[in-house]
Short mmCIF file of all heavy atoms in Angstrom, two decimals:
data_model
loop_
_atom_site.label_atom_id
_atom_site.label_comp_id
_atom_site.label_asym_id
_atom_site.label_seq_id
_atom_site.Cartn_x
_atom_site.Cartn_y
_atom_site.Cartn_z
N TYR A 246 -0.58 3.76 -1.36
CA TYR A 246 -0.15 4.40 -0.11
C TYR A 246 0.88 3.52 0.60
O TYR A 246 1.96 4.00 0.98
CB TYR A 246 -1.36 4.63 0.78
CG TYR A 246 -1.10 5.46 2.02
CD1 TYR A 246 -1.42 6.81 2.06
CD2 TYR A 246 -0.54 4.90 3.17
CE1 TYR A 246 -1.19 7.58 3.19
CE2 TYR A 246 -0.30 5.65 4.30
CZ TYR A 246 -0.63 6.99 4.31
OH TYR A 246 -0.39 7.74 5.44
N ALA A 247 0.54 2.25 0.80
CA ALA A 247 1.44 1.34 1.50
C ALA A 247 2.60 0.90 0.61
O ALA A 247 3.75 0.81 1.06
CB ALA A 247 0.68 0.13 2.00
N ASP A 248 2.30 0.63 -0.65
CA ASP A 248 3.34 0.09 -1.54
C ASP A 248 4.47 1.09 -1.76
O ASP A 248 5.64 0.70 -1.89
CB ASP A 248 2.72 -0.30 -2.88
CG ASP A 248 1.74 -1.48 -2.74
OD1 ASP A 248 1.71 -2.10 -1.66
OD2 ASP A 248 1.02 -1.76 -3.71
N GLN A 249 4.16 2.38 -1.80
CA GLN A 249 5.22 3.38 -1.95
C GLN A 249 6.16 3.38 -0.75
O GLN A 249 7.37 3.59 -0.90
CB GLN A 249 4.59 4.76 -2.15
CG GLN A 249 3.94 4.96 -3.50
CD GLN A 249 3.14 6.25 -3.60
OE1 GLN A 249 3.12 7.06 -2.67
NE2 GLN A 249 2.47 6.45 -4.73
N ILE A 250 5.60 3.14 0.43
CA ILE A 250 6.45 3.04 1.62
C ILE A 250 7.36 1.82 1.50
O ILE A 250 8.56 1.88 1.79
CB ILE A 250 5.59 2.95 2.89
CG1 ILE A 250 4.80 4.25 3.10
CG2 ILE A 250 6.46 2.65 4.12
CD1 ILE A 250 3.82 4.21 4.26
N ALA A 251 6.80 0.69 1.06
CA ALA A 251 7.59 -0.53 0.92
C ALA A 251 8.73 -0.34 -0.08
O ALA A 251 9.87 -0.77 0.17
CB ALA A 251 6.69 -1.69 0.48
N VAL A 252 8.44 0.27 -1.20
CA VAL A 252 9.47 0.50 -2.22
C VAL A 252 10.57 1.39 -1.66
O VAL A 252 11.77 1.14 -1.87
CB VAL A 252 8.85 1.13 -3.48
CG1 VAL A 252 9.93 1.62 -4.43
CG2 VAL A 252 7.93 0.13 -4.19
N ARG A 253 10.19 2.42 -0.93
CA ARG A 253 11.19 3.33 -0.36
C ARG A 253 12.07 2.61 0.65
O ARG A 253 13.30 2.77 0.63
CB ARG A 253 10.48 4.52 0.30
CG ARG A 253 11.43 5.58 0.82
CD ARG A 253 10.66 6.71 1.49
NE ARG A 253 11.55 7.80 1.88
CZ ARG A 253 11.16 8.86 2.59
NH1 ARG A 253 9.90 8.98 2.97
NH2 ARG A 253 12.03 9.80 2.91
N VAL A 254 11.46 1.82 1.52
CA VAL A 254 12.23 1.07 2.52
C VAL A 254 13.18 0.09 1.83
O VAL A 254 14.36 -0.01 2.17
CB VAL A 254 11.30 0.32 3.50
CG1 VAL A 254 12.10 -0.64 4.38
CG2 VAL A 254 10.53 1.32 4.37
N PHE A 255 12.66 -0.64 0.85
CA PHE A 255 13.47 -1.62 0.12
C PHE A 255 14.67 -0.95 -0.55
O PHE A 255 15.80 -1.42 -0.44
CB PHE A 255 12.59 -2.33 -0.91
CG PHE A 255 13.29 -3.41 -1.69
CD1 PHE A 255 13.38 -4.70 -1.21
CD2 PHE A 255 13.87 -3.12 -2.93
CE1 PHE A 255 14.02 -5.70 -1.93
CE2 PHE A 255 14.52 -4.10 -3.66
CZ PHE A 255 14.59 -5.40 -3.16
N ASP A 256 14.42 0.15 -1.25
CA ASP A 256 15.50 0.84 -1.96
C ASP A 256 16.52 1.43 -0.99
O ASP A 256 17.74 1.36 -1.24
CB ASP A 256 14.92 1.95 -2.84
CG ASP A 256 14.18 1.42 -4.06
OD1 ASP A 256 14.36 0.23 -4.39
OD2 ASP A 256 13.43 2.20 -4.69
N ASP A 257 16.04 2.00 0.11
CA ASP A 257 16.96 2.59 1.08
C ASP A 257 17.78 1.52 1.80
O ASP A 257 18.96 1.74 2.12
CB ASP A 257 16.19 3.46 2.08
CG ASP A 257 15.70 4.76 1.47
OD1 ASP A 257 16.18 5.13 0.38
OD2 ASP A 257 14.83 5.41 2.08
N LEU A 258 17.16 0.38 2.07
CA LEU A 258 17.89 -0.72 2.68
C LEU A 258 18.96 -1.24 1.72
O LEU A 258 20.10 -1.51 2.13
CB LEU A 258 16.92 -1.85 3.06
CG LEU A 258 17.54 -3.11 3.67
CD1 LEU A 258 18.24 -2.79 4.99
CD2 LEU A 258 16.46 -4.17 3.90
N TYR A 259 18.60 -1.36 0.46
CA TYR A 259 19.56 -1.76 -0.56
C TYR A 259 20.75 -0.80 -0.59
O TYR A 259 21.92 -1.22 -0.60
CB TYR A 259 18.87 -1.81 -1.92
CG TYR A 259 19.81 -1.94 -3.09
CD1 TYR A 259 20.29 -3.19 -3.50
CD2 TYR A 259 20.22 -0.82 -3.80
CE1 TYR A 259 21.15 -3.31 -4.57
CE2 TYR A 259 21.10 -0.93 -4.87
CZ TYR A 259 21.56 -2.18 -5.26
OH TYR A 259 22.43 -2.29 -6.32
N ASP A 260 20.48 0.49 -0.60
CA ASP A 260 21.55 1.49 -0.64
C ASP A 260 22.44 1.42 0.59
O ASP A 260 23.65 1.69 0.52
CB ASP A 260 20.96 2.89 -0.77
CG ASP A 260 20.33 3.14 -2.13
OD1 ASP A 260 20.66 2.42 -3.09
OD2 ASP A 260 19.49 4.06 -2.23
N ALA A 261 21.85 1.05 1.74
CA ALA A 261 22.62 0.97 2.98
C ALA A 261 23.59 -0.22 2.97
O ALA A 261 24.63 -0.18 3.64
CB ALA A 261 21.69 0.85 4.18
N ILE A 262 23.26 -1.26 2.21
CA ILE A 262 24.06 -2.49 2.21
C ILE A 262 24.98 -2.61 0.99
O ILE A 262 26.15 -2.98 1.12
CB ILE A 262 23.12 -3.73 2.25
CG1 ILE A 262 22.36 -3.78 3.57
CG2 ILE A 262 23.90 -5.02 2.02
CD1 ILE A 262 21.28 -4.84 3.62
N GLU A 263 24.45 -2.28 -0.17
CA GLU A 263 25.13 -2.57 -1.43
C GLU A 263 26.53 -1.95 -1.51
O GLU A 263 26.72 -0.76 -1.28
CB GLU A 263 24.28 -2.06 -2.59
CG GLU A 263 24.88 -2.28 -3.98
CD GLU A 263 25.00 -3.75 -4.35
OE1 GLU A 263 24.27 -4.58 -3.75
OE2 GLU A 263 25.78 -4.07 -5.26
N GLY A 264 27.49 -2.82 -1.86
CA GLY A 264 28.83 -2.35 -2.15
C GLY A 264 29.77 -2.23 -0.97
O GLY A 264 30.96 -1.92 -1.16
N LYS A 265 29.30 -2.47 0.23
CA LYS A 265 30.22 -2.39 1.37
C LYS A 265 31.23 -3.54 1.25
O LYS A 265 30.86 -4.69 1.01
CB LYS A 265 29.45 -2.48 2.69
CG LYS A 265 28.61 -1.23 2.95
CD LYS A 265 28.03 -1.23 4.35
CE LYS A 265 27.19 0.02 4.59
NZ LYS A 265 27.98 1.27 4.53
N PRO A 266 32.51 -3.26 1.42
CA PRO A 266 33.53 -4.28 1.16
C PRO A 266 33.54 -5.40 2.19
O PRO A 266 33.34 -5.17 3.38
CB PRO A 266 34.85 -3.48 1.21
CG PRO A 266 34.53 -2.27 2.04
CD PRO A 266 33.09 -1.95 1.78
N ASN A 267 33.75 -6.63 1.69
CA ASN A 267 33.96 -7.76 2.59
C ASN A 267 35.45 -8.05 2.69
O ASN A 267 36.28 -7.27 2.22
CB ASN A 267 33.15 -8.97 2.13
CG ASN A 267 33.58 -9.50 0.76
OD1 ASN A 267 34.64 -9.15 0.24
ND2 ASN A 267 32.76 -10.36 0.17
N THR A 268 35.82 -9.17 3.28
CA THR A 268 37.23 -9.47 3.51
C THR A 268 37.87 -10.20 2.34
O THR A 268 39.05 -10.53 2.39
CB THR A 268 37.37 -10.36 4.77
OG1 THR A 268 36.68 -11.60 4.54
CG2 THR A 268 36.83 -9.67 5.99
N LYS A 269 37.09 -10.44 1.28
CA LYS A 269 37.56 -11.30 0.18
C LYS A 269 37.71 -10.54 -1.14
O LYS A 269 37.71 -11.12 -2.21
CB LYS A 269 36.60 -12.47 0.01
CG LYS A 269 36.41 -13.28 1.29
CD LYS A 269 35.25 -14.24 1.19
CE LYS A 269 34.98 -14.93 2.52
NZ LYS A 269 33.79 -15.80 2.46
N GLY A 270 37.80 -9.22 -1.03
CA GLY A 270 38.00 -8.42 -2.23
C GLY A 270 36.74 -8.14 -3.01
O GLY A 270 36.81 -7.55 -4.11
N GLU A 271 35.59 -8.55 -2.48
CA GLU A 271 34.33 -8.25 -3.14
C GLU A 271 33.45 -7.47 -2.17
O GLU A 271 33.96 -6.70 -1.37
CB GLU A 271 33.69 -9.54 -3.67
CG GLU A 271 34.55 -10.18 -4.76
CD GLU A 271 33.86 -11.28 -5.50
OE1 GLU A 271 32.62 -11.29 -5.56
OE2 GLU A 271 34.56 -12.17 -6.03
N CYS A 272 32.14 -7.65 -2.21
CA CYS A 272 31.31 -6.76 -1.39
C CYS A 272 30.03 -7.43 -0.92
O CYS A 272 29.70 -8.55 -1.32
CB CYS A 272 30.99 -5.48 -2.17
SG CYS A 272 30.09 -5.77 -3.71
N PHE A 273 29.30 -6.71 -0.08
CA PHE A 273 28.03 -7.16 0.47
C PHE A 273 26.87 -6.78 -0.46
O PHE A 273 26.91 -5.75 -1.13
CB PHE A 273 27.78 -6.52 1.84
CG PHE A 273 28.58 -7.13 2.95
CD1 PHE A 273 29.89 -6.75 3.18
CD2 PHE A 273 28.01 -8.09 3.78
CE1 PHE A 273 30.63 -7.30 4.21
CE2 PHE A 273 28.74 -8.65 4.82
CZ PHE A 273 30.06 -8.25 5.04
N HIS A 274 25.85 -7.63 -0.45
CA HIS A 274 24.62 -7.37 -1.18
C HIS A 274 23.43 -7.69 -0.27
O HIS A 274 23.57 -8.35 0.76
CB HIS A 274 24.51 -8.21 -2.45
CG HIS A 274 25.67 -8.06 -3.38
ND1 HIS A 274 25.88 -6.92 -4.13
CD2 HIS A 274 26.70 -8.89 -3.67
CE1 HIS A 274 26.96 -7.07 -4.86
NE2 HIS A 274 27.48 -8.26 -4.60
N LEU A 275 22.27 -7.25 -0.69
CA LEU A 275 21.02 -7.51 0.03
C LEU A 275 20.34 -8.76 -0.49
O LEU A 275 20.30 -8.99 -1.71
CB LEU A 275 20.07 -6.31 -0.16
CG LEU A 275 18.58 -6.53 0.16
CD1 LEU A 275 18.35 -6.64 1.66
CD2 LEU A 275 17.74 -5.39 -0.42
N ASN A 276 19.82 -9.60 0.40
CA ASN A 276 18.78 -10.53 -0.01
C ASN A 276 17.70 -10.55 1.06
O ASN A 276 17.90 -10.08 2.18
CB ASN A 276 19.33 -11.94 -0.33
CG ASN A 276 19.63 -12.79 0.89
OD1 ASN A 276 18.96 -12.73 1.92
ND2 ASN A 276 20.64 -13.64 0.77
N MET A 277 16.54 -11.05 0.69
CA MET A 277 15.41 -11.11 1.63
C MET A 277 14.84 -12.52 1.65
O MET A 277 13.68 -12.76 1.37
CB MET A 277 14.36 -10.05 1.27
CG MET A 277 14.95 -8.65 1.29
SD MET A 277 13.76 -7.31 1.52
CE MET A 277 13.33 -7.51 3.25
N LEU A 278 15.72 -13.47 1.96
CA LEU A 278 15.37 -14.88 2.08
C LEU A 278 15.49 -15.25 3.56
O LEU A 278 16.54 -15.66 4.04
CB LEU A 278 16.31 -15.74 1.23
CG LEU A 278 16.32 -15.40 -0.27
CD1 LEU A 278 17.47 -16.09 -0.98
CD2 LEU A 278 14.99 -15.78 -0.90
N SER A 279 14.40 -15.08 4.28
CA SER A 279 14.45 -15.12 5.74
C SER A 279 14.52 -16.52 6.33
O SER A 279 14.83 -16.67 7.50
CB SER A 279 13.22 -14.41 6.30
OG SER A 279 12.03 -14.97 5.77
N THR A 280 14.21 -17.55 5.54
CA THR A 280 14.09 -18.92 6.06
C THR A 280 13.13 -18.90 7.26
O THR A 280 11.96 -18.68 7.07
CB THR A 280 15.46 -19.51 6.41
OG1 THR A 280 16.39 -19.22 5.34
CG2 THR A 280 15.38 -21.02 6.56
N THR A 281 13.63 -19.08 8.49
CA THR A 281 12.74 -19.06 9.66
C THR A 281 13.15 -18.00 10.68
O THR A 281 12.59 -17.97 11.78
CB THR A 281 12.70 -20.44 10.34
OG1 THR A 281 14.03 -20.79 10.78
CG2 THR A 281 12.20 -21.51 9.39
#
């Protein structure tokens, strides 16, 4: 029940970020390394 929600959020967040162009001719990606 909960894990399906997590997978959906993760995938949708990835889709929202992945491939958006940056200023250096490449693009943005997702990571989830929050540090603090």
Side-chain angles (χ1 to χ4, degrees):
Y246 188 100
D248 294 349
Q249 288 171 4
I250 295 174
V252 169
R253 185 182 186 186
V254 170
F255 182 86
D256 288 345
D257 287 345
L258 178 62
Y259 168 84
D260 290 339
I262 295 172
E263 179 66 20
K265 291 189 180 297
N267 64 14
T268 62
K269 304 168 186 176
E271 296 192 25
C272 60
F273 283 82
H274 304 288
L275 163 72
N276 79 33
M277 301 203 72
L278 301 169
S279 55
T280 315
T281 60

